[in-house]
Amino acid sequence: MLSKKVVNNLTNSSGIRAMFEEGERLRKIHGAQNVFDFTLGNPDMEPPSLVKDTLKKYILNDEAGIHKYMNNAGFADVREKVAQSLTKETDVELKADNIVMTCGAAGGLNIIFKSILNPDEEVIIFAPYFVEYSFYIDNHGGKTVIVKPDMNTFEPDLNDLKSKISKNTKAIIINSPNNPTGVIYKEETLIKISEILKEKQKEFGTEIFVISDEPYNKLVYDGVKLPSILKIFDNAIQGCSFSKSLSLPGERIGFVAASPKIKEINMLMDALIFTNRTLGYVNAPSLFQKVIAETMDVTINVEEYQKRRDILYNHLIGLGFTCVKPEGAFYLFPKALIEDDVEFVKMALKYNLLIVPGKGFGCPGYFRIAYCSSLDTINAALPAFEALAKDCRELG
Ligand code: PLP
């Protein structure tokens, strides 16, 4: 009766959700304070007070027309502000016409794929990757092609990338800071990728889009500067959201910005606006478009995330885990202490510790910790990691 594909996906996907449900079960038995749930990238911090104050202002002093439909691309004044802010950030001159307001980064990715993909065209993703990419690509008839990582850095293996680009490659996705590793790709790596793309586009006579999925671009630590994808790649389309930088994931607000250097830029912008409409999003939420226009240059307390990273990372290293030190986002992706990551995650449940196997991110043998939960939870969970490490050592 139902779509075979969807039923199949329901059966085979989302270890993350399954762990979340397991968390609900454990919380009922042991109480929320005794369960250490590091499964979902759902920020615990409240949005900055400026966001709440701006929201109140718009609710109380209702600007006429604020709740109406607007251009499917979003309010013109909001897109103008996004363009100005992004121009400063990326060093690439952007206009309001290069911006479409979207229902988060997820909505942005779906309108990009809908706009660019023909049946069976390929989109390259780098392992370990955000689990939803292949579903979004499949939504629009595309095929996912996976490039393996350099296991020492979790940057893409560039020889593998070279070998995977074909005449059917329509796009690659770059996600840096990365979910699940927190790694920021180095500028020199990105420049090498751009050289590979140039060479392959010449060989096949094709154009390949570079989709930069950047919901974490404001969560950067240790003073690292995030390289500008719009600057490095001519065919760049950047998707951003305020889900993480302003702790607003439930409000579904973000934007897509396309490089003015793309050959058919006007047609692409029309396609993005059309698909925003016809996928049923119609437009990004009106109230939150107005709110982010006045708040997008602030962020939640990034130092607080850095503190959490340091506590967890140092503790895990002390226990004998290996892990690439993340420079952004709010994830750690250590190697499991036994070969089977799924079994490792099951062993953690004994200590009410909820983590996610790496298998679902395309990297078996590893596991993900989302440290967007309180410092109290993190400190309380440290003995659980210690007990888990001891159990693994005893297994030999
Ligand atoms: N891309 C990545 C890499 C993510 O981690 C997420 C959410 O966790 C998204 C996209 C979707 O974000 P949004 O809530 O803005 O749709």
Side-chain angles (χ1 to χ4, degrees), residues 70-83:
M70 79 296 302
N71 185 313
N72 300 113
F75 290 115
D77 59 325
V78 175
R79 289 187 292 131
E80 183 60 45
K81 285 202 174 146
V82 170

Side-chain angles (χ1 to χ4, degrees), residues 104-106 130 133 175 179 213 215-216 241 243-244 252 331:
F130 177 50
Y133 287 151
N175 170 223
N179 174 5
D213 179 30
Y216 303 97
S241 93
S243 294
K244 319 288 173 167
R252 314 308 306 134
Y331 305 105

Side-chain angles (χ1 to χ4, degrees), residues 123-139:
V123 179
I124 290 180
I125 65 175
F126 300 143
Y129 43 74
F130 177 50
V131 180
E132 307 292 62
Y133 287 151
S134 59
F135 298 119
Y136 299 163
I137 294 163
D138 180 68
N139 281 346

Side-chain angles (χ1 to χ4, degrees), residues 166-169 200-208 235:
S166 77
K167 63 179 183 349
N168 291 325
T169 305
K200 290 288 175 180
Q201 289 178 123
K202 208 163 152 204
E203 180 183 338
F204 295 121
T206 52
E207 292 283 338
I208 300 173
N235 280 341

